[in-house]
Amino acid sequence: MVVEPTIACVVPCHNEEAAVGKVVRDLRAALPEAVVYVYDNASTDRTVEVAREAGAVVRQENRKGKGNVIRRAFADVDADALLIIDGDDTYDASRARDLVDLLFEGPYDQVVGARRVTDDGVYRAGHAVGNRLLTGAVRSLFGNDVTDMLSGYRVFSRRFVKSFPALAREFETETEMTIHALHLRLPTAEVLTDYRVRPAGGESKLRTYRDGWRILRVILDLARRERPSLVHTVLAGILALVSIVLGIPVIADFIETGTVPRVPTAILAAAIMTIAALVLLVGYILESLMHMRQEQTRLVHLSYPAPVRTPRYAARGAGTGPVPVRKAAGGP
């Protein structure tokens, strides 16, 4: 039996009554073969009713935070292409076909809808600057394959979704997705998409300073876990520099007088240098462990086929037909 590639759309929502209906209708018009899932995140308005009326499959995730919704959706939904888009109608959902087609044609594991601002005032004060700073930090640490790290409009292959750990709780989930793709060097593409102001009645859930600080913490934590040799080398270098600064006067006194009058300073300098050496050693050990974990994640990623547009076979025929490809259970 021929099986067409499956497509699913996931729309995280919290109090998006004013916009979610249009987002669902636009997705269904652009991708009529897709199943649209609206994941309600503890809404207190009519988000659920409006989404159902528009034709979406509604599911609940009561733990607040977009990261919690993505973790739940990635575990529940099984599809060859899985698209995520915010339910506030700031992204152009009519471009969904372009993102999905590019994923299959690449093939890519991730296609990002890079935001192109079309309306004045779409970004609140500090958001554009914060996005550039955080994107620059990730590009410096992990690679240059991304221009809009915080875009919430993306489509993924099955093998990306099933190898992605989804540990974030809130808006830092996009940062985690970006770094996952960069660190494993997964093929990624970008499509410029319009980014516009919210419709009347919608309210942004972002908090400029709180969420910016949270994302920066995630970047630093991921750098510590994903680039341990770099982080520990920097820390060890700082400690070694402090030790040298403390130790130079002690050495100078010893050369001049043949004695060590500053014994406590000498002991402190030696202790700090010892700590620097241990920090450097721990960094190299963590780098080896990280490399092993990266290999395991890569093997999980490779256990799934690349996204393809051509039909597949769900069962082996009696003759010499094509090798079958399993249709995943529970897919839309």
Side-chain angles (χ1 to χ4, degrees):
M1 179 179 67
V2 176
V3 180
E4 294 293 336
T6 53
I7 303 170
C9 303
V10 171
V11 187
C13 286
H14 173 69
N15 290 341
E16 298 293 357
E17 172 187 350
V20 66
K22 181 177 182 301
V23 173
V24 172
R25 288 190 292 273
D26 288 349
L27 288 173
R28 295 186 67 196
L31 295 168
E33 72 273 32
V35 176
V36 179
Y37 296 90
V38 168
Y39 273 79
D40 177 60
N41 194 208
S43 296
T44 56
D45 61 2
R46 296 186 62 252
T47 295
V48 171
E49 291 83 353
V50 172
R52 284 202 178 105
E53 290 169 1
V57 176
V58 178
R59 292 179 175 173
Q60 303 285 340
E61 175 51 62
N62 294 323
R63 287 171 294 186
K64 282 190 177 182
K66 185 177 181 180
N68 289 321
V69 173
I70 295 300
R71 178 201 294 254
R72 171 76 181 275
F74 279 15
D76 291 351
V77 179
D78 197 7
D80 294 305
L82 191 152
L83 181 142
I84 64 169
I85 185 171
D86 293 343
D88 56 8
D89 196 33
T90 53
Y91 296 98
D92 185 2
S94 65
R95 297 291 306 279
R97 171 65 65 188
D98 296 334
L99 271 70
V100 170
D101 284 348
L102 183 57
L103 181 89
F104 285 119
E105 290 166 6
Y108 295 104
D109 284 311
Q110 176 183 225
V111 177
V112 180
R115 291 171 289 185
R116 177 176 54 200
V117 176
T118 58
D119 298 328
D120 293 336
V122 66
Y123 279 122
R124 288 190 298 176
H127 281 190
V129 174
N131 189 18
R132 285 196 294 269
L133 289 174
L134 294 172
T135 299
V138 169
R139 287 164 65 94
S140 298
L141 286 169
F142 298 98
N144 296 319
D145 297 337
V146 60
T147 62
D148 189 4
M149 180 188 74
L150 300 181
S151 173
Y153 192 12
R154 304 172 185 235
V155 60
F156 307 101
S157 66
R158 176 186 274 114
R159 61 186 185 179
F160 182 106
V161 171
K162 299 310 178 184
S163 64
F164 178 63
L167 301 176
R169 291 182 172 85
E170 297 192 23
F171 286 102
E172 64 270 24
T173 186
E174 286 92 356
T175 304
E176 197 176 44
M177 293 170 182
T178 300
I179 293 175
H180 176 73
L182 290 173
H183 203 56
L184 289 183
R185 299 192 296 277
L186 304 182
T188 298
E190 289 186 340
V191 173
L192 280 177
T193 58
D194 292 344
Y195 189 65
R196 55 201 178 214
V197 296
R198 285 170 163 267
E203 179 184 356
S204 175
K205 313 306 183 300
L206 284 172
R207 300 295 180 265
T208 302
Y209 299 106
R210 185 202 67 178
D211 292 322
W213 171 243
R214 185 186 295 273
I215 291 168
L216 180 59
R217 281 170 46 199
V218 169
I219 293 172
L220 294 175
D221 185 58
L222 286 170
R224 178 181 59 83
R225 290 191 283 112
E226 304 294 340
R227 299 287 303 276
S229 62
L230 173 63
V231 173
H232 283 253
T233 298
V234 171
L235 290 176
I238 294 172
L239 290 170
L241 181 62
V242 172
S243 175
I244 291 170
V245 170
L246 290 173
I248 285 176
V250 176
I251 296 172
D253 287 342
F254 179 77
I255 293 173
E256 183 178 348
T257 65
T259 62
V260 183
R262 305 181 187 183
V263 175
T265 303
I267 294 174
L268 178 61
I272 293 176
M273 185 60 76
T274 302
I275 293 172
L278 290 174
V279 168
L280 187 64
L281 177 62
V282 168
Y284 285 118
I285 293 173
L286 292 176
E287 184 79 16
S288 298
L289 295 175
M290 184 277 299
H291 187 71
M292 293 172 60
R293 179 172 58 82
Q294 186 178 0
E295 287 179 341
Q296 293 171 353
T297 304
R298 179 69 176 169
L299 290 175
V300 171
H301 173 264
L302 293 175
S303 67
Y304 293 90
V308 290
R309 176 69 76 181
T310 54
R312 302 168 300 153
Y313 285 78
R316 184 185 296 275
T320 58
V323 176
V325 177
R326 175 182 60 87
K327 181 181 179 181

